[in-house]
Amino acid sequence: DAGVIQSPRHEVTEMGQEVTLRCKPISGHDYLFWYRQTMMRGLELLIYFNNNVPIDDSGMPEDRFSAKMPNASFSTLKIQPSEPRDSAVYFCASSPTPRTVLISTDTQYFGPGTRLTVL
Amino acid sequence: AQSVTQLDSQVPVFEEAPVELRCNYSSSVSVYLFWYVQYPNQGLQLLLKYLSGSTLVESINGFEAEFNKSQTSFHLRKPSVHISDTAEYFCAVTSGSARQLTFGSGTQLTVLP
């Protein structure tokens, strides 16, 4: 398997522009997560999906951020309008449903990230 | 609520010396613990994990961590480090029915020649 795929790897845009980040999870994984990494705040969960349905979006900073998962193999994170403070590395991760009922979670596999710079 | 504390932000160590990266967690329910490694300009890679069973877990490249419930710790150790181990290491926790990982602030391990 190719692992989690993210595109683009780098994005430079101007304040006010719309930015769309893309993610393809590992085939067969039921969970998809979007994280943001900054020097000041470290790694933060933005939102996660289970079977394409958003479960927890409490980490989404504000209404400028939106995420969708139209099918099991694709998700987008959109920022509109973008601001300089959105500059960060955005990671997508996917995780399978545990194979045993004895544990309730399993490993998350991360993509290479998208480095976003908003000027 | 769950939280993770990585007590050391920077750990410099000489090549072939032992190292311990500390991680303490806080959670009111049973936990699952992970160590991830991030090399420069790359994503996070799983190093090792504790889900259940033996409290001592090992990675393929010589790292190990021990889940200590009484001390709420999951420290990462390696008896002899290499230059190639230079990276940032993140401890993470999730618990109960929660799926999201809560990460520590990370520890930058720098191995010196």
Side-chain angles (χ1 to χ4, degrees), chain B residues 45-59:
Chain B
Q45 302 172 31
L46 179 70
L47 191 59
L48 47 76
K49 62 185 177 184
Y50 169 78
L51 300 181
S52 66
S54 173
T55 58
L56 182 66
V57 291
E58 299 176 351
S59 71

Side-chain angles (χ1 to χ4, degrees), chain A residues 31 37 45 56 104 107-108, chain B residues 32 36 38 49 96 99-100:
Chain A
Y31 290 86
Q37 185 179 36
L45 177 73
D56 184 351
S104 62
T107 304
Q108 292 183 23
Chain B
Y32 308 103
Y36 283 85
Q38 185 177 29
K49 62 185 177 184
R99 296 290 171 171
Q100 57 266 49

Side-chain angles (χ1 to χ4, degrees), chain A residues 10-119:
Chain A
H10 301 273
E11 176 80 33
V12 180
T13 190
E14 292 187 346
M15 184 174 62
Q17 297 297 306
E18 177 180 296
V19 174
T20 299
L21 313 181
R22 297 173 176 79
C23 175
K24 177 178 168 55
I26 294 172
S27 176
H29 283 192
D30 303 301
Y31 290 86
L32 184 139
F33 305 80
W34 282 100
Y35 291 88
R36 178 172 67 175
Q37 185 179 36
T38 62
M39 289 292 292
M40 292 297 294
R41 300 173 68 92
L43 275 156
E44 307 172 277
L45 177 73
L46 300 176
I47 185 172
Y48 81 93
F49 296 82
N50 178 215
N51 292 323
N52 314 336
V53 176
I55 303 300
D56 184 351
D57 64 355
S58 59
M60 296 285 263
E62 50 200 271
D63 291 345
R64 297 185 297 108
F65 285 69
S66 63
K68 295 182 180 179
M69 192 165 185
N71 56 62
S73 60
F74 184 66
S75 176
T76 59
L77 178 67
K78 186 176 293 187
I79 308 172
Q80 166 63 21
S82 58
E83 297 182 2
R85 61 191 167 123
D86 302 330
S87 296
V89 181
Y90 291 81
F91 288 104
C92 176
S94 70
S95 176
T97 296
R99 281 171 273 183
T100 169
V101 297
L102 297 178
I103 58 174
S104 62
T105 192
D106 207 331
T107 304
Q108 292 183 23
Y109 296 86
F110 283 73
T114 295
R115 182 174 295 277
L116 174 65
T117 303
V118 183
L119 303 174

